[in-house]
């Protein structure tokens, strides 16, 4: 089961692997980063379509990191015209052009990390963007006709009542379709784990 799927049968697809971003609480950034050729991804999607699956969850950690490749993939999905999908991206990659391309390609729901309203925490955990850029990204997603999911982390050691209240206010102001609250976990292989042990 998948909360954001619009059809009961769906498949998960990776068009790339790992993540080039260094967020210190996330293990995915420790795995390296590789992309699949677009034609290879399309071959997998066409095999799914032949089996009657037209709902997809792109599990790429950030759809659109390689912009031209993402546009090529979205154009090919738009040409097929029967795929419905959800994907992750980041507020700093979610510009109007990318979001509109995703929508044309069949994307209906976009998931973006907010994590915290505290710029200090975002900097400390190497998110690569600040809280002021978040609201604009969600507004752009809505304008493109996409449903929005904001992901948040609670329980970072530096969190205070004030930072949590600020984050709650930010979340309420974003008018999200869905909110994902995640408890901070010091996973193996992350800088966050090393700091927790220390």
């Amino acid at each position: 089961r998948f909360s954001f799927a619009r059809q009961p049968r769906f498949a998960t697809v990776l068009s790339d692997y790992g993540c080039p971003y260094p967020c210190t609480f996330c293990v995915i950034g420790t795995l390296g980063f590789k992309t699949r050729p677009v034609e290879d991804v399309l071959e997998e999607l066409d095999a799914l379509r032949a089996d009657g699956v037209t709902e997809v969850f792109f599990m790429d950690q950030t759809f659109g990191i390689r912009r031209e490749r993402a546009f090529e993939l979205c154009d090919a999905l738009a040409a097929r015209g029967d795929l419905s999908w959800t994907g992750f991206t980041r507020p700093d990659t979610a510009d109007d052009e990318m979001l509109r391309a995703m929508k044309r390609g069949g994307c209906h729901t976009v998931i973006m990390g907010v994590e915290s309203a505290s710029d200090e925490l975002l900097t400390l955990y190497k998110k690569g963007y600040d809280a002021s850029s978040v609201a604009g990204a969600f507004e752009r997603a809505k304008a493109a006709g996409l449903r929005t999911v904001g992901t948040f982390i609670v329980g970072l050691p530096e969190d205070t009542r004030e930072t949590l209240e600020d984050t709650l206010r930010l979340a309420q102001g974003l008018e999200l379709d869905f909110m994902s609250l995640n408890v901070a976990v010091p996973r193996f292989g992350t800088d966050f784990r090393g700091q927790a042990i220390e």
Side-chain angles (χ1 to χ4, degrees):
R1 298 188 183 278
F2 181 49
S3 300
F4 313 128
R6 290 187 162 174
Q7 301 171 49
R9 289 190 69 206
F10 75 97
T12 59
V13 173
L14 277 171
S15 91
D16 62 37
Y17 177 81
C19 181
Y21 293 100
C23 310
T24 59
F25 55 76
C26 182
V27 71
I28 306 298
T30 69
L31 303 177
F33 179 66
K34 294 191 81 163
T35 59
R36 292 171 62 189
V38 169
E39 58 271 17
D40 184 54
V41 178
L42 294 173
E43 184 179 339
E44 180 179 356
L45 291 169
D46 287 343
L48 290 168
R49 291 167 67 235
D51 195 37
V53 177
T54 56
E55 180 74 28
V56 174
F57 177 23
F58 277 106
M59 292 192 69
D60 306 19
Q61 290 301 296
T62 305
F63 190 91
I65 290 176
R66 302 276 192 266
R67 288 180 64 79
E68 293 311 312
R69 178 182 174 278
F71 291 138
E72 181 184 350
L73 181 56
C74 287
D75 287 346
L77 296 176
R80 282 156 174 77
D82 61 354
L83 283 168
S84 169
W85 55 279
T86 298
F88 291 103
T89 193
R90 287 169 48 105
D92 53 345
T93 60
D95 60 26
D96 287 326
E97 187 180 15
M98 182 60 66
L99 292 166
R100 285 194 299 263
M102 292 169 71
K103 176 68 175 177
R104 278 194 312 275
C107 181
H108 55 73
T109 304
V110 65
I111 307 168
M112 289 189 275
V114 179
E115 320 311 0
S116 173
S118 166
D119 286 341
E120 289 179 14
L121 287 179
L122 294 175
T123 299
L124 180 64
Y125 288 92
K126 299 184 180 177
K127 283 303 296 180
Y129 54 79
D130 57 34
S132 65
S133 66
V134 169
F138 282 91
E139 288 171 11
R140 290 189 296 275
K142 291 269 191 198
L146 297 165
R147 295 189 305 177
T148 58
V149 185
T151 67
F152 298 81
I153 295 180
V154 296
L156 293 168
E158 300 81 9
D159 256 327
T160 63
R161 182 182 184 92
E162 182 181 1
T163 63
L164 291 170
E165 288 177 347
D166 288 346
T167 300
L168 177 60
R169 277 192 292 276
L170 174 62
Q172 290 171 326
L174 294 175
E175 298 183 3
L176 304 165
D177 293 297
F178 304 92
M179 179 180 190
S180 173
L181 284 173
N182 305 278
V183 175
V185 176
R187 293 193 168 100
F188 283 99
T190 62
D191 290 348
F192 180 36
R193 183 175 179 83
Q195 293 161 2
I197 291 170
E198 193 178 299

